[in-house]
Amino acid sequence: MADRGSTLTSNHWGVGLVETDGERITAVGNHPRDPAPNRLNENIPDSLYGPGRIRRPAVRASWLEHGAAAKRGERGRDPFVEVSWDEVLDLLAGEITRIRTEHGNQSIYAGSYGWSSAGRVHHAQGLLKRFLNTQGGFVRSEGNYSYNAALVLLPYIVGPFYRHVPQSTRWSVVADHSDLVVAFGGLAERNTRVCDGGASLHRFPGSLQACADAGVRFVNVSPLRADMTEDLGGEWMPIQPGTDTAMMLALAFVLLEEGLHDQAFLDRYTVGFDRVAAYLRGKSDGQPKTPQWAAALTGLDANRLTALAREMAAGRTMITTTASLQRGDYGEQPLWATVTLAAILGQIGLPGGGYTIAMAVNANIGNTGRLFRAGVVDQGINPVREMLPVAMISEMLLNPGGAYSYKGQEWQFPDARMVWWAGGNPFHHHQDLNRLRDAFSRPETVVINEISWTATARHADIVLPVAAPQERTDFGAGQSDDVLVPMPAHASPAYEARLEYDIYAELAARLGNPEAFTKGRDAEGWTRRLWRDTQQMAEKQGLSLPDWDAFIEGDMVELPDPSPDQVFLADFRADPEGSPLPTPSGRIELFCAKIDSFGLADCPGQATWFPPRDSREEGPLALISGQPGTRLHSQQDDGAYSRSMKIKGREPVLIHPSDAAARGISDGAIVELFNSRGRCLAGARVTNEVRVGCIFLWTGAWYDPDFESLGAEGTPLDRHGNPNVLTHDLRTSSLSQSPAAHSARVEVRVWPHDETPPAVRAFEPPTLIRRK
């Protein structure tokens, strides 16, 4: 037990123990039962009370004066005027009414995106969608940035990705049964510090170490050595980014040509292998997928590829593929190739064999599962049928009414006059931020709910300051976490911030239908209602949970793992007729006639090799970016721990010694990364942890454009180190329209010693002026 259970809070990165001085939160530590705590809680106090906290409602000065007729191209540069809550809610209610009356609800795009809070009640995305659904609906987004290609592709070939996550093989099973784990994209421990909805007990490092202690061998197929901890003693195969599909096809070729494939498994459990075999042998395109062919693409040794294929067939092998690989050009293909390679080995459904997609995407996959679903705020029914694939916001805003293809059908972009964003930061997670800046100049009104003055807030017309998770009462219950965490309010909302629930309740009252949103309950009433729902779910599983008052004052509640010996697709392997897959054939579709019928040049009916789109003319170095170890995405980048790991205030970029020497770059130097899309500064960290010809820049540094330093294309220099000023905004394919940002190429140069680099201003508030 914690010393004082009432000090608990839940975050996506773990349970926190909160200390206060009676008015403010002064420190947040980790729960003593966490086997592998991280330091992300250290970011919370500075972020809550630092200069970047939004203190009062604010309206862009020119929008306040001119309304929707204000110049829109100045978003991100204009000063703001602080106003009262009454005034901002009156303004917003009036604007909602105007937009609906003049253009209809299909002109309101709610770009809400998750990860804002681990709480069940004060969930930014759920509350915004509930409110807008009571007001006639909105254009929604579909999918996510993390593994959208899997969400769209896998249902056609093996079943919904959301079945993969809860049904993934447990690491304890791998420790007992596997001989070899081949990890495409590695198994980065930093990713497993977080989990959507909560990561209460970090078991991943211990689970992998138990595998190594049991004699399981690991192979890290990644351009970054640190994508697998050294303690595992794994082999590093530093692959050229974007070529994993080629490597998988070459491994499959060896298995086929040397008779190491499992024909009996392929005959009973799959369809389309004859088409795959013809492609592997080059009969359909004239290019056999030999190890020599793959070696020229991947930069790996052909003999080692051949030997690895034999090793995979000689014992029980688990193949893991990270979510990051699908966020490159043609990102569906490494997913499909993973399934294909595992099927050819014939170990799918066996303990310790087969494959897992996105094994290290968060803390809980392969470690535990949720016994029952906790209570959730009902979002209601959205009357608006228009939707948008999540990564296409720039296309929508820049090309209203334009046509695009998605899941084999033709769609049309809505004409979004209002954008309302809550619980996310697109100027962190979207691609090609200079293009996004242009896109954000198009809508008539942009509304942002935020805690801090992120770049997204700076590009808004109306900014609503909202309470942080530690400033409101809630409870944590992640979808794949096996812990329930009390989240009492440890301090009042700082400055003039408000609960988002209360904001929507007041807006609903101004719009004439408060009961539709509140159902007669305040925020506390909803919290108690959701806890009762959770208790009832627990009772169906034979568990008794404490009443709300006892729970909120107590410690976290651990729940039993519903399937501790789980093996992915074991039921299907045992009885493919009685437990068919939810695919068109009921079997694994190595060739999918349905996808093939769409006639998509960028996603044919089987796993196929495509070279990355981004040309070497963009730059000689491949840019890799990934989840940082110092924060969750961009959250609390202004916190103490995140800032302590920067280099001279800039985000670190990893560069190989030979690439650094060729450019005169020393460790700790300020460097400029650039291509035709943008420029940013970073701090060089010279290390052999990254492959020659690659650089690695963490995601999440708050975008900090210097409008006084415009490039030849009119693009501002990012002073801080956000990789998305450099990434392209192309899609993986017209099947899933997923983001393909992990395919960028850049050049790097040292910042001139005779010039002082511009100061980082990301954590300062924008200019605040008095009303004219």
Side-chain angles (χ1 to χ4, degrees), residues 445-706:
T445 302
V446 177
V447 185
I448 303 295
N449 299 11
E450 251 298 357
I451 295 172
S452 303
W453 280 110
T454 63
T456 302
R458 295 168 190 263
H459 283 78
D461 299 309
I462 298 174
V463 180
L464 305 175
V466 299
Q470 295 75 31
E471 298 169 342
R472 55 202 184 197
T473 299
D474 209 330
F475 67 97
Q479 292 184 7
S480 62
D481 195 24
D482 61 348
V483 174
L484 300 172
V485 185
M487 299 175 61
H490 299 284
S492 299
Y495 311 107
E496 295 183 21
R498 287 191 180 182
L499 302 183
E500 284 172 281
Y501 182 90
D502 293 344
I503 294 171
Y504 298 131
E506 290 198 36
L507 278 172
R510 283 168 165 79
L511 293 168
N513 59 346
E515 284 288 321
F517 176 76
T518 67
K519 296 298 183 184
R521 302 186 187 95
D522 59 11
E524 181 181 358
W526 272 102
T527 305
R528 290 179 177 272
R529 162 64 187 276
L530 264 59
W531 183 250
R532 286 197 299 273
D533 292 345
T534 304
Q535 288 178 302
Q536 292 171 4
M537 296 287 189
E539 288 172 1
K540 293 179 181 179
Q541 300 295 327
L543 298 177
S544 178
L545 297 178
D547 64 36
W548 174 252
D549 293 323
F551 170 73
I552 199 64
E553 293 294 331
D555 200 356
M556 63 184 188
V557 176
E558 292 186 55
L559 304 171
D561 187 339
S563 185
D565 300 317
Q566 185 167 275
V567 175
F568 181 51
L569 294 183
D571 292 344
F572 169 65
R573 186 181 185 104
D575 184 7
E577 289 76 27
S579 300
L581 299 179
T583 63
S585 66
R587 293 189 283 174
I588 299 170
E589 305 227 346
L590 303 184
F591 177 85
C592 179
K594 181 67 173 178
I595 292 179
D596 191 61
S597 71
F598 297 154
L600 307 176
D602 53 8
C603 190
Q606 67 185 64
T608 304
W609 162 252
F610 292 94
R613 296 188 190 97
D614 216 22
S615 167
R616 287 185 177 270
E617 296 176 0
E618 286 291 327
L621 300 173
L623 173 66
I624 317 165
S625 56
Q627 163 67 20
T630 59
R631 57 185 174 265
L632 167 57
H633 305 325
S634 70
Q635 283 188 40
Q636 300 176 343
D637 188 29
D638 55 345
Y641 179 50
S642 181
R643 296 179 72 167
S644 73
M645 296 299 173
K646 296 181 186 291
I647 296 176
K648 299 176 182 176
R650 329 276 170 170
E651 199 64 18
V653 58
L654 279 57
I655 184 169
H656 191 274
S658 63
D659 291 324
R663 293 162 176 81
I665 297 172
S666 60
D667 192 69
I670 300 300
V671 295
E672 181 183 8
L673 287 62
F674 61 95
N675 59 20
S676 64
R677 290 179 288 271
R679 307 177 294 146
C680 71
L681 298 183
R685 181 170 295 158
V686 180
T687 174
N688 60 9
E689 292 292 299
V690 66
R691 186 188 191 277
V692 175
C694 301
I695 60 172
F696 186 96
L697 181 63
W698 309 110
T699 62
W702 285 5
Y703 176 52
D704 187 29
D706 181 7

Side-chain angles (χ1 to χ4, degrees), residues 7 16-21 24-29 41-42 44-45 49:
T7 64
L17 297 181
V18 181
E19 299 177 19
T20 74
D21 61 6
R24 288 190 169 195
I25 294 168
T26 56
V28 183
N41 278 325
E42 296 176 26
I44 294 174
Y49 308 113

Side-chain angles (χ1 to χ4, degrees), residues 249-263:
L249 294 174
L251 295 172
F253 175 88
V254 173
L255 297 174
L256 177 62
E257 291 301 288
E258 298 191 2
L260 300 175
H261 61 297
D262 190 333
Q263 190 64 52

Side-chain angles (χ1 to χ4, degrees), residues 410-470:
E410 293 302 311
W411 297 74
Q412 190 175 40
F413 289 122
D415 185 2
R417 304 300 182 99
M418 171 183 277
V419 172
W420 194 334
W421 216 283
N425 182 11
F427 279 89
H428 146 65
H429 58 243
H430 197 75
Q431 310 77 231
D432 194 347
L433 295 185
N434 287 305
R435 185 171 188 245
L436 184 65
R437 282 188 56 251
D438 186 17
F440 257 63
S441 71
R442 304 306 174 94
E444 295 173 6
T445 302
V446 177
V447 185
I448 303 295
N449 299 11
E450 251 298 357
I451 295 172
S452 303
W453 280 110
T454 63
T456 302
R458 295 168 190 263
H459 283 78
D461 299 309
I462 298 174
V463 180
L464 305 175
V466 299
Q470 295 75 31

Side-chain angles (χ1 to χ4, degrees), residues 189-202:
E189 186 272 334
R190 66 181 183 277
N191 295 342
T192 68
R193 298 176 188 179
V194 303
C195 187
D196 49 322
S200 302
L201 299 173
H202 294 87

